[in-house]
């Protein structure tokens, strides 16, 4: 059995045990995890998985996982406004993820989850040439998070788990066709609570 196959089996087994217990646990070893804990990005499933501190050490500096499992970094960096209109994505609340294969995806939240677009990789490269911090993003696990909705002008480099947390927040708070009265204040609160960290 390959290392990837064995690791995937362990992750599925741990996830099954966690679901049965109803507690948030590491998806590798099934140990309980704290409210704020590390995450792994599963490149094969395009999903973020919870891990405990000790298991996360295995994936630091591209250690284990043969590239399939990547440790999501903790870095958050506020940027000055970035002209993302050149990327051709017609929404004001979106995140852009450069991928290991050279492609770039954009995802915007909706009441049904994330809408996804492919971004012209050449347009991304031109933008990254003008904003060097974009060129330094870690593929697959860091995102450019943009919010220009309702008068905001927020631009951040964040771990992808922050983006998925935002999508979950919107799905939870959305009401009716327009989102209702709770979703946009919740999004604004989400951005107010973002803090820079290295």
């Amino acid at each position: 059995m390959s290392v990837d196959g064995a690791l995937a089996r362990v992750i599925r087994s741990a996830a099954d045990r966690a679901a049965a217990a109803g507690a948030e646990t590491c998806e590798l070893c099934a140990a309980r995890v704290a409210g704020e804990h590390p995450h792994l990005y599963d490149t094969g499933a395009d999903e973020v998985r919870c891990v405990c501190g000790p298991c996360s050490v295995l994936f630091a500096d591209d250690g284990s996982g043969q590239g399939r499992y990547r440790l999501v970094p903790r870095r958050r960096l506020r940027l000055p406004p970035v002209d993302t209109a050149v990327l051709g994505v017609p929404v004001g609340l979106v995140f852009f993820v450069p991928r290991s294969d050279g492609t770039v995806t954009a995802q915007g939240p909706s009441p049904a989850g994330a809408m996804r677009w492919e971004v012209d990789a050449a347009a991304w490269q031109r933008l990254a040439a003008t904003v060097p911090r974009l060129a330094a993003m870690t593929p697959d696990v860091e995102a450019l998070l943009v919010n220009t909705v309702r008068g905001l002008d927020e631009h951040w480099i964040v771990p992808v788990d922050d983006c998925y947390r935002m999508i979950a927040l919107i799905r939870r708070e959305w009401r009716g066709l327009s989102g209702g009265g709770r979703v946009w204040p919740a999004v604004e609160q989400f951005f107010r609570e973002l803090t820079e960290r290295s």
Side-chain angles (χ1 to χ4, degrees), residues 63-81:
S64 296
Q66 300 177 336
R68 177 171 177 177
Y69 302 99
R70 308 210 33 219
L71 185 62
V72 176
R74 294 184 35 81
R75 175 174 80 138
R76 285 191 195 130
L77 179 63
R78 182 188 291 269
L79 299 177

Side-chain angles (χ1 to χ4, degrees), residues 48-183:
V48 173
R49 302 189 182 279
C50 299
V51 291
C52 64
C55 285
S56 73
V57 172
L58 298 172
F59 297 91
D61 301 321
D62 296 325
S64 296
Q66 300 177 336
R68 177 171 177 177
Y69 302 99
R70 308 210 33 219
L71 185 62
V72 176
R74 294 184 35 81
R75 175 174 80 138
R76 285 191 195 130
L77 179 63
R78 182 188 291 269
L79 299 177
V82 177
D83 182 13
T84 56
V86 299
L87 300 175
V89 177
V91 295
L93 182 56
V94 64
F95 61 95
F96 300 90
V97 182
R99 302 292 178 177
S100 298
D101 63 5
T103 63
V104 179
T105 59
Q107 296 182 59
S110 78
M115 301 176 293
R116 188 175 179 145
W117 303 269
E118 293 294 322
V119 172
D120 178 40
W124 175 264
Q125 293 300 331
R126 287 190 298 273
L127 182 62
T130 65
V131 184
R133 290 178 172 164
L134 298 182
M137 287 171 55
T138 307
D140 301 317
V141 293
E142 286 189 310
L144 170 61
L145 176 60
V146 176
N147 183 6
T148 58
V149 176
R150 296 170 56 119
L152 294 179
D153 201 8
E154 299 272 355
H155 299 79
W156 289 81
I157 292 175
V158 297
V160 293
D161 53 359
D162 278 348
C163 300
Y164 294 128
R165 191 167 48 89
M166 181 190 66
I167 288 172
L169 169 85
I170 290 172
R171 287 188 72 185
R172 184 179 68 237
E173 299 297 336
W174 194 279
R175 301 291 182 270
L177 294 175
S178 66
R182 294 176 16 182
V183 68

